[in-house]
Amino acid sequence: MVLNKKNIPKVGFGLWKISQEDCAEAVYNAIKAGYRHLDSACDYGNEEQVGEGIKRAIDDGLCLREDLFVASKLWNSFHAKEHVELALQKSLDDLQLDYLDLYLVHFPIASKFVPIETRYPPEWIADPDADNPRVELAGVPLIETWQAMEAVCEKGLATQIGVCNYNTGLLHDLMSYAKIKPSMLQIESHPYLTQEKLIRLAKQYNIQVTAFSPLGALSYLELDMAGAAESVIEQNVVKQAASRTGKTPAQVVLRWGVQRGNAIIPKTSRPERLIENLDIFDFELSEQEMAAISALNIHRRFNDPGDFCEAAFNTFNPIYD
């Protein structure tokens, strides 16, 4: 199967934390609002519902399959070479698709394999019924995982492959052995975590960048992983740019993200926010505004396994220094 590689739309619809009961309708409404980039993952636990939303949108003539850019991610417990295609096929079955436009390694973490029929999605803990439930790591090198990713790409099951949550050292290492080069690096990035060196390195390697959690703390308030005082949209430089442009503070922050040259995947299930998050291409921030927003950087990472794995899964498991 030979499929054309599509350019990734700059604003995607992030599917993390959207409940199963709301997900199919949210996906349908997103496509209806104009979204063509859908960012999914095995671990989000809602790919069946994503597939229902996609099918309904296609059946209703809102789009063709070829119009969509659908991404999903390989979970940690499927890193072994014999499990990568198994995991990808499960995502394809749930999404009711023949191929993905992008398949990503979700974390540079290999954990113990959990059969699909035992528990799906496997989540972080290897055995929830153990006396001390925890993350159990597996001895699978990242090169083995990447070679299996290349194999599913060669089969046409994914037209592009990439990685999430890699740092500069892992990126250098990956580029030294990759026969099919990663087309995408997906990372947390927002004004409090600009990741300028990592983004610059990715682009030096001709790897596109997608920023998740582009609004920073707003994605983590409900998980108690951030405080309300950490909201970037309350910063004066953001509010001043919003006043000048006639846009909302959230639109200013999202515009900052795409104006850096990245794709972004904000998440919302509110129809009015769906439209607002897409409506960021009729204005530009000045160089001074871009610099002022970038200067908010305090290296604040909200999504850090070095923090949440110990708190939630009884396992100290850092991947960032």
Side-chain angles (χ1 to χ4, degrees), residues 107-110 124 134-135 137 165 167 170 301 303-311 313-321:
F107 283 97
I109 299 170
W124 288 87
R134 56 186 289 111
V135 179
L137 299 181
N165 302 302
N167 59 27
L170 290 178
R301 189 185 302 277
N303 196 325
D304 188 344
D307 294 328
F308 68 73
C309 279
E310 187 166 28
F313 310 126
N314 306 313
T315 311
F316 180 55
N317 193 37
I319 60 173
Y320 310 113
D321 297 330

Side-chain angles (χ1 to χ4, degrees), residues 289-301:
E289 289 167 335
M290 288 291 293
I293 295 172
S294 294
L296 295 172
N297 180 45
I298 53 173
H299 306 288
R300 173 63 165 108
R301 189 185 302 277

